[in-house]
Amino acid sequence: MGFGGIRTARELAGKGFDVTLVDRNNYHLFQPLLYQVATAGLEQESIAYPVRAMARGWAGTRFHLAEVTGIDFDAREVRTNNGTIPYDYLVVGAGSVTNYFGLESVERHAFDLKELVDGERLRNHVLTAFERAVVEPDPAKRRALMTFVIVGGGPTGVEFAGALIELVRFVLAKDYPELSVQTARVVLVEAFDRLLAAMEPPLQVYTLEKLRSMGVEVLLNARVVDAGPERVVLHDGAVIPAHTLFWSAGVKAAPLAAALGAAPRPGGRIPVEPDLTLPGHPEVLVIGDMAYLEQDGAPLPMVAPVAMQMGIYAGSSILARERGGSLPPFRYRDKGSMATIGRSAAVASAFGMKFRGYAAWVIWLLLHLYYLIGFRNRIVVMLNWIWYYWFHERQVRLITERERAGGQ
């Protein structure tokens, strides 16, 4: 269940409705911290929470583990791989998937972070690369094994780059004394001339300077156009010998969007009415990354805060309609954005104020703990962060699955 669906269910719980949650996973994933699983900072269980554990406290709510395959609008039924589910109102918030923009070679060889298993798989790959480097006699191949290319200078790319360089320089350097870990490379590739495009210029400059001071190679105005198991090719023909490519350069609506029958907008998103309903189907609401809605002349971004506010609005709208009323059109209230760069360093913009450095980092920590679901998860994550802050040690350096020959 995504951020939007959870908020909708909360709004409708205990209000006399029969609410059915449908998802192919039985847990809610706190995706903003998935990169910390990939960089050995957190256990995967600490950022996920069982949907049934949440729903059992919500009167009138039940969970159905299934994958949605289609929607019959005339019969008002959702088709799944486990049968059909009737509905009076339908809220669709299946989220997004990684957008590789038609680069098939990149899609074959790149890692992304959308599912819980992706974090563990990427962590396995990073640690395995160092194990392979230990026994690699060829210096060039050894360096390629310790080279990590990250595509996309948004929050995910910045946060992953910062966490990865700290893992390499402060943790793996001690684990692998036989390697010259200082020669390891973390390369961040961004197609535009700045990082964190949604933030103010001073925060962008701070982020760039901080990453470079940490040892991250930042390439601006650069695009990845091809990839293989041991190389990454840029638009100008430059080749970076690397065994690891992480892609965070864009997302598009989940494939389920095609089942809604509407002409998609950029990114495969579905255009919705101002009240988030699907045109021609007032009983169907589309929320989150799948929904295309313009506000102040620009489409709303595909980020978690938008999904959460849409989810709350969808639940409130259904409740109002059942009581004979209606709500004004949906309007997103931007409360700001933030990104962590590394230990004691972050940038944040909220309510017209800008924060950077330690203060922004503390705000980032507190807000992420607040939105994390489950008291145990909050405690575990907080303890992991405290431990890392004081000892520069990450406990989850586990290779839980061996890679098959040939890479992924």
PDB file of all heavy atoms in Angstrom, residues 380-396:
ATOM      1  N   VAL A 380      13.885   1.282  16.119  1.00  0.00           N
ATOM      2  CA  VAL A 380      14.988   0.591  15.442  1.00  0.00           C
ATOM      3  C   VAL A 380      15.756   1.547  14.537  1.00  0.00           C
ATOM      4  O   VAL A 380      16.995   1.576  14.533  1.00  0.00           O
ATOM      5  CB  VAL A 380      14.454  -0.613  14.635  1.00  0.00           C
ATOM      6  CG1 VAL A 380      15.546  -1.187  13.733  1.00  0.00           C
ATOM      7  CG2 VAL A 380      13.934  -1.697  15.574  1.00  0.00           C
ATOM      8  N   VAL A 381      15.032   2.343  13.754  1.00  0.00           N
ATOM      9  CA  VAL A 381      15.683   3.280  12.848  1.00  0.00           C
ATOM     10  C   VAL A 381      16.459   4.329  13.635  1.00  0.00           C
ATOM     11  O   VAL A 381      17.608   4.662  13.303  1.00  0.00           O
ATOM     12  CB  VAL A 381      14.638   3.946  11.922  1.00  0.00           C
ATOM     13  CG1 VAL A 381      15.251   5.117  11.163  1.00  0.00           C
ATOM     14  CG2 VAL A 381      14.082   2.920  10.942  1.00  0.00           C
ATOM     15  N   MET A 382      15.862   4.851  14.691  1.00  0.00           N
ATOM     16  CA  MET A 382      16.542   5.867  15.500  1.00  0.00           C
ATOM     17  C   MET A 382      17.825   5.309  16.110  1.00  0.00           C
ATOM     18  O   MET A 382      18.877   5.971  16.096  1.00  0.00           O
ATOM     19  CB  MET A 382      15.615   6.380  16.598  1.00  0.00           C
ATOM     20  CG  MET A 382      16.228   7.478  17.449  1.00  0.00           C
ATOM     21  SD  MET A 382      15.088   8.148  18.671  1.00  0.00           S
ATOM     22  CE  MET A 382      14.873   6.708  19.734  1.00  0.00           C
ATOM     23  N   LEU A 383      17.778   4.088  16.638  1.00  0.00           N
ATOM     24  CA  LEU A 383      18.969   3.481  17.228  1.00  0.00           C
ATOM     25  C   LEU A 383      20.054   3.253  16.190  1.00  0.00           C
ATOM     26  O   LEU A 383      21.248   3.440  16.460  1.00  0.00           O
ATOM     27  CB  LEU A 383      18.597   2.165  17.920  1.00  0.00           C
ATOM     28  CG  LEU A 383      17.760   2.291  19.198  1.00  0.00           C
ATOM     29  CD1 LEU A 383      17.392   0.917  19.741  1.00  0.00           C
ATOM     30  CD2 LEU A 383      18.522   3.088  20.262  1.00  0.00           C
ATOM     31  N   ASN A 384      19.653   2.825  14.999  1.00  0.00           N
ATOM     32  CA  ASN A 384      20.627   2.657  13.921  1.00  0.00           C
ATOM     33  C   ASN A 384      21.293   3.974  13.579  1.00  0.00           C
ATOM     34  O   ASN A 384      22.508   4.039  13.361  1.00  0.00           O
ATOM     35  CB  ASN A 384      19.952   2.073  12.680  1.00  0.00           C
ATOM     36  CG  ASN A 384      19.946   0.564  12.656  1.00  0.00           C
ATOM     37  OD1 ASN A 384      20.928  -0.078  12.286  1.00  0.00           O
ATOM     38  ND2 ASN A 384      18.836  -0.014  13.063  1.00  0.00           N
ATOM     39  N   TRP A 385      20.522   5.044  13.516  1.00  0.00           N
ATOM     40  CA  TRP A 385      21.086   6.354  13.191  1.00  0.00           C
ATOM     41  C   TRP A 385      22.020   6.851  14.292  1.00  0.00           C
ATOM     42  O   TRP A 385      23.071   7.422  14.016  1.00  0.00           O
ATOM     43  CB  TRP A 385      19.957   7.355  12.952  1.00  0.00           C
ATOM     44  CG  TRP A 385      19.251   7.144  11.642  1.00  0.00           C
ATOM     45  CD1 TRP A 385      19.681   6.388  10.588  1.00  0.00           C
ATOM     46  CD2 TRP A 385      18.012   7.730  11.242  1.00  0.00           C
ATOM     47  NE1 TRP A 385      18.783   6.448   9.562  1.00  0.00           N
ATOM     48  CE2 TRP A 385      17.745   7.264   9.925  1.00  0.00           C
ATOM     49  CE3 TRP A 385      17.097   8.581  11.844  1.00  0.00           C
ATOM     50  CZ2 TRP A 385      16.598   7.640   9.219  1.00  0.00           C
ATOM     51  CZ3 TRP A 385      15.956   8.960  11.142  1.00  0.00           C
ATOM     52  CH2 TRP A 385      15.717   8.496   9.844  1.00  0.00           C
ATOM     53  N   ILE A 386      21.621   6.641  15.540  1.00  0.00           N
ATOM     54  CA  ILE A 386      22.476   7.049  16.656  1.00  0.00           C
ATOM     55  C   ILE A 386      23.792   6.283  16.630  1.00  0.00           C
ATOM     56  O   ILE A 386      24.876   6.858  16.809  1.00  0.00           O
ATOM     57  CB  ILE A 386      21.750   6.841  18.001  1.00  0.00           C
ATOM     58  CG1 ILE A 386      20.577   7.819  18.133  1.00  0.00           C
ATOM     59  CG2 ILE A 386      22.715   7.004  19.171  1.00  0.00           C
ATOM     60  CD1 ILE A 386      19.701   7.556  19.343  1.00  0.00           C
ATOM     61  N   TRP A 387      23.686   4.979  16.398  1.00  0.00           N
ATOM     62  CA  TRP A 387      24.880   4.137  16.360  1.00  0.00           C
ATOM     63  C   TRP A 387      25.823   4.615  15.254  1.00  0.00           C
ATOM     64  O   TRP A 387      27.028   4.732  15.455  1.00  0.00           O
ATOM     65  CB  TRP A 387      24.474   2.679  16.144  1.00  0.00           C
ATOM     66  CG  TRP A 387      25.630   1.715  16.186  1.00  0.00           C
ATOM     67  CD1 TRP A 387      26.356   1.229  15.145  1.00  0.00           C
ATOM     68  CD2 TRP A 387      26.202   1.115  17.369  1.00  0.00           C
ATOM     69  NE1 TRP A 387      27.342   0.377  15.577  1.00  0.00           N
ATOM     70  CE2 TRP A 387      27.262   0.288  16.941  1.00  0.00           C
ATOM     71  CE3 TRP A 387      25.906   1.208  18.738  1.00  0.00           C
ATOM     72  CZ2 TRP A 387      28.028  -0.460  17.841  1.00  0.00           C
ATOM     73  CZ3 TRP A 387      26.679   0.464  19.630  1.00  0.00           C
ATOM     74  CH2 TRP A 387      27.718  -0.347  19.173  1.00  0.00           C
ATOM     75  N   TYR A 388      25.289   4.892  14.080  1.00  0.00           N
ATOM     76  CA  TYR A 388      26.128   5.338  12.972  1.00  0.00           C
ATOM     77  C   TYR A 388      26.724   6.709  13.262  1.00  0.00           C
ATOM     78  O   TYR A 388      27.894   6.972  12.939  1.00  0.00           O
ATOM     79  CB  TYR A 388      25.326   5.384  11.669  1.00  0.00           C
ATOM     80  CG  TYR A 388      26.136   5.931  10.524  1.00  0.00           C
ATOM     81  CD1 TYR A 388      27.199   5.205   9.993  1.00  0.00           C
ATOM     82  CD2 TYR A 388      25.867   7.189   9.988  1.00  0.00           C
ATOM     83  CE1 TYR A 388      27.974   5.727   8.962  1.00  0.00           C
ATOM     84  CE2 TYR A 388      26.640   7.710   8.962  1.00  0.00           C
ATOM     85  CZ  TYR A 388      27.687   6.976   8.459  1.00  0.00           C
ATOM     86  OH  TYR A 388      28.464   7.482   7.441  1.00  0.00           O
ATOM     87  N   TYR A 389      25.940   7.596  13.867  1.00  0.00           N
ATOM     88  CA  TYR A 389      26.425   8.942  14.142  1.00  0.00           C
ATOM     89  C   TYR A 389      27.653   8.915  15.056  1.00  0.00           C
ATOM     90  O   TYR A 389      28.630   9.633  14.828  1.00  0.00           O
ATOM     91  CB  TYR A 389      25.315   9.781  14.777  1.00  0.00           C
ATOM     92  CG  TYR A 389      25.735  11.202  15.079  1.00  0.00           C
ATOM     93  CD1 TYR A 389      25.759  12.159  14.067  1.00  0.00           C
ATOM     94  CD2 TYR A 389      26.111  11.585  16.362  1.00  0.00           C
ATOM     95  CE1 TYR A 389      26.154  13.471  14.331  1.00  0.00           C
ATOM     96  CE2 TYR A 389      26.506  12.888  16.637  1.00  0.00           C
ATOM     97  CZ  TYR A 389      26.524  13.819  15.623  1.00  0.00           C
ATOM     98  OH  TYR A 389      26.916  15.115  15.880  1.00  0.00           O
ATOM     99  N   TRP A 390      27.615   8.076  16.079  1.00  0.00           N
ATOM    100  CA  TRP A 390      28.706   8.062  17.050  1.00  0.00           C
ATOM    101  C   TRP A 390      29.880   7.189  16.627  1.00  0.00           C
ATOM    102  O   TRP A 390      31.020   7.478  16.947  1.00  0.00           O
ATOM    103  CB  TRP A 390      28.190   7.593  18.416  1.00  0.00           C
ATOM    104  CG  TRP A 390      27.347   8.624  19.098  1.00  0.00           C
ATOM    105  CD1 TRP A 390      26.011   8.579  19.318  1.00  0.00           C
ATOM    106  CD2 TRP A 390      27.792   9.877  19.638  1.00  0.00           C
ATOM    107  NE1 TRP A 390      25.593   9.727  19.963  1.00  0.00           N
ATOM    108  CE2 TRP A 390      26.662  10.538  20.173  1.00  0.00           C
ATOM    109  CE3 TRP A 390      29.035  10.508  19.722  1.00  0.00           C
ATOM    110  CZ2 TRP A 390      26.742  11.787  20.778  1.00  0.00           C
ATOM    111  CZ3 TRP A 390      29.116  11.755  20.327  1.00  0.00           C
ATOM    112  CH2 TRP A 390      27.979  12.371  20.844  1.00  0.00           C
ATOM    113  N   PHE A 391      29.594   6.092  15.921  1.00  0.00           N
ATOM    114  CA  PHE A 391      30.660   5.130  15.644  1.00  0.00           C
ATOM    115  C   PHE A 391      30.994   4.973  14.160  1.00  0.00           C
ATOM    116  O   PHE A 391      31.898   4.220  13.814  1.00  0.00           O
ATOM    117  CB  PHE A 391      30.267   3.758  16.216  1.00  0.00           C
ATOM    118  CG  PHE A 391      30.061   3.768  17.702  1.00  0.00           C
ATOM    119  CD1 PHE A 391      28.786   3.725  18.236  1.00  0.00           C
ATOM    120  CD2 PHE A 391      31.139   3.844  18.573  1.00  0.00           C
ATOM    121  CE1 PHE A 391      28.578   3.741  19.603  1.00  0.00           C
ATOM    122  CE2 PHE A 391      30.950   3.865  19.944  1.00  0.00           C
ATOM    123  CZ  PHE A 391      29.666   3.819  20.465  1.00  0.00           C
ATOM    124  N   HIS A 392      30.268   5.665  13.277  1.00  0.00           N
ATOM    125  CA  HIS A 392      30.518   5.529  11.836  1.00  0.00           C
ATOM    126  C   HIS A 392      30.513   4.053  11.425  1.00  0.00           C
ATOM    127  O   HIS A 392      31.365   3.605  10.656  1.00  0.00           O
ATOM    128  CB  HIS A 392      31.840   6.184  11.440  1.00  0.00           C
ATOM    129  CG  HIS A 392      31.656   7.499  10.744  1.00  0.00           C
ATOM    130  ND1 HIS A 392      30.744   7.698   9.739  1.00  0.00           N
ATOM    131  CD2 HIS A 392      32.285   8.701  10.914  1.00  0.00           C
ATOM    132  CE1 HIS A 392      30.820   8.951   9.314  1.00  0.00           C
ATOM    133  NE2 HIS A 392      31.731   9.591  10.011  1.00  0.00           N
ATOM    134  N   GLU A 393      29.571   3.319  11.947  1.00  0.00           N
ATOM    135  CA  GLU A 393      29.491   1.879  11.697  1.00  0.00           C
ATOM    136  C   GLU A 393      28.086   1.531  11.218  1.00  0.00           C
ATOM    137  O   GLU A 393      27.095   2.005  11.772  1.00  0.00           O
ATOM    138  CB  GLU A 393      29.805   1.106  12.978  1.00  0.00           C
ATOM    139  CG  GLU A 393      29.992  -0.375  12.794  1.00  0.00           C
ATOM    140  CD  GLU A 393      31.345  -0.729  12.177  1.00  0.00           C
ATOM    141  OE1 GLU A 393      32.191   0.164  12.009  1.00  0.00           O
ATOM    142  OE2 GLU A 393      31.536  -1.916  11.862  1.00  0.00           O
ATOM    143  N   ARG A 394      28.015   0.691  10.193  1.00  0.00           N
ATOM    144  CA  ARG A 394      26.723   0.228   9.687  1.00  0.00           C
ATOM    145  C   ARG A 394      26.644  -1.278   9.874  1.00  0.00           C
ATOM    146  O   ARG A 394      27.478  -2.020   9.372  1.00  0.00           O
ATOM    147  CB  ARG A 394      26.533   0.612   8.224  1.00  0.00           C
ATOM    148  CG  ARG A 394      26.540   2.123   8.031  1.00  0.00           C
ATOM    149  CD  ARG A 394      26.192   2.527   6.631  1.00  0.00           C
ATOM    150  NE  ARG A 394      26.384   3.965   6.457  1.00  0.00           N
ATOM    151  CZ  ARG A 394      26.198   4.609   5.320  1.00  0.00           C
ATOM    152  NH1 ARG A 394      25.804   3.941   4.247  1.00  0.00           N
ATOM    153  NH2 ARG A 394      26.406   5.904   5.232  1.00  0.00           N
ATOM    154  N   GLN A 395      25.607  -1.698  10.580  1.00  0.00           N
ATOM    155  CA  GLN A 395      25.538  -3.077  11.044  1.00  0.00           C
ATOM    156  C   GLN A 395      25.036  -4.058   9.991  1.00  0.00           C
ATOM    157  O   GLN A 395      25.207  -5.267  10.148  1.00  0.00           O
ATOM    158  CB  GLN A 395      24.621  -3.152  12.273  1.00  0.00           C
ATOM    159  CG  GLN A 395      25.140  -2.372  13.471  1.00  0.00           C
ATOM    160  CD  GLN A 395      26.486  -2.878  13.951  1.00  0.00           C
ATOM    161  OE1 GLN A 395      27.527  -2.372  13.563  1.00  0.00           O
ATOM    162  NE2 GLN A 395      26.477  -3.914  14.759  1.00  0.00           N
ATOM    163  N   VAL A 396      24.386  -3.569   8.937  1.00  0.00           N
ATOM    164  CA  VAL A 396      23.689  -4.494   8.028  1.00  0.00           C
ATOM    165  C   VAL A 396      24.555  -4.779   6.791  1.00  0.00           C
ATOM    166  O   VAL A 396      24.094  -4.718   5.664  1.00  0.00           O
ATOM    167  CB  VAL A 396      22.325  -3.922   7.613  1.00  0.00           C
ATOM    168  CG1 VAL A 396      21.412  -5.056   7.119  1.00  0.00           C
ATOM    169  CG2 VAL A 396      21.645  -3.216   8.778  1.00  0.00           C
TER     170      VAL A 396
END
